[in-house]
Amino acid sequence: MNEIQEMNKKITKYTILFSVAGMVIGTIVFHDIKVPIGLLVGAVTGLIGYYMIVDLAVHIPEDEEVGKKKGISNYYLRYLLYAFVFAAGVFLLKLPILSLLVGILIHKASIYAYSIIEKRKGG
């Protein structure tokens, strides 16, 4: 397995672990099933966005102009995805918007945790 695949696997694992912990805490604190569902939806959305970035980085064209266009279109597509998921979560599923945001932050925390752990390992 190459380095990128190993990194992705670990970041996904950390996201799952942090999400489960957040879902348990959210259920205990708020006594509302919509909170952990929102956390899960946010974390999965964060992972999807992350994999979109990784895919772009791995397949970036050598032509600078084409690469810029691809990067900008990927950026807009990612944020449209976030907006769609958040709108659907809030307006259709009636999920608390803060739980969706915390779910995305859980994913960001997993990236941060991965970087700290790997730095300590010397990797």
Side-chain angles (χ1 to χ4, degrees), residues 2 4 10 22 25 27 41 58 61 66 78 85 89 103-104 108-110:
N2 69 31
I4 293 176
K10 288 180 181 179
I25 292 167
T27 302
V41 170
V58 169
V66 174
R78 241 185 11 264
V85 169
I104 288 223
K108 301 301 180 194
S110 72

Side-chain angles (χ1 to χ4, degrees), residues 35 37-39 41-43 45 85-87 89-90 95-105:
V35 171
I37 292 172
L39 290 171
V41 170
T45 303
V85 169
F86 274 47
V90 170
L95 299 174
I97 192 154
L98 286 178
S99 68
L100 294 164
L101 290 169
V102 170
I104 288 223
L105 290 175

